[in-house]
Amino acid sequence: MPENIYNDEDVHRLRKLSSLLLCPCNDIFSYSKEAKGSSINIVSMLMRERRLSLRDALDKEVGLLSAIWRWKRR
């Protein structure tokens, strides 16, 4: 990617928003596969650390994604 595009403020904001949204989305969609191994997954961590059910952990993560989306759209 050309340096002038890479350093563009809008591209920088897009990269940041992408990482804020894609990492949690990946954890939601990959939970069933990663739960069987030793991967770090926010859904598993919420279940373990906050003693949440799978449903509650998923709801918490979706709520976080919604909050990030609303916050970044301002």
Side-chain angles (χ1 to χ4, degrees), residues 28-43:
I28 290 169
F29 289 109
S30 65
Y31 167 76
S32 61
K33 180 180 178 183
E34 293 179 350
K36 298 171 186 165
S38 62
S39 296
I40 296 174
N41 183 297
I42 190 69
V43 176

Side-chain angles (χ1 to χ4, degrees), residues 5-37:
I5 293 174
Y6 183 82
N7 292 327
D8 183 79
E9 184 178 327
D10 289 333
V11 173
H12 176 72
R13 287 189 2 242
L14 180 60
R15 284 194 321 263
K16 191 171 192 168
L17 179 59
S18 296
S19 67
L20 285 172
L21 293 173
L22 292 177
C23 293
C25 284
N26 180 65
D27 281 351
I28 290 169
F29 289 109
S30 65
Y31 167 76
S32 61
K33 180 180 178 183
E34 293 179 350
K36 298 171 186 165

Side-chain angles (χ1 to χ4, degrees), residues 21 61-74:
L21 293 173
E61 186 65 3
V62 169
L64 176 64
L65 282 167
S66 296
I68 291 169
W69 182 250
R70 286 190 307 273
W71 174 66
K72 289 310 254 179
R73 288 187 64 192
R74 292 184 205 176

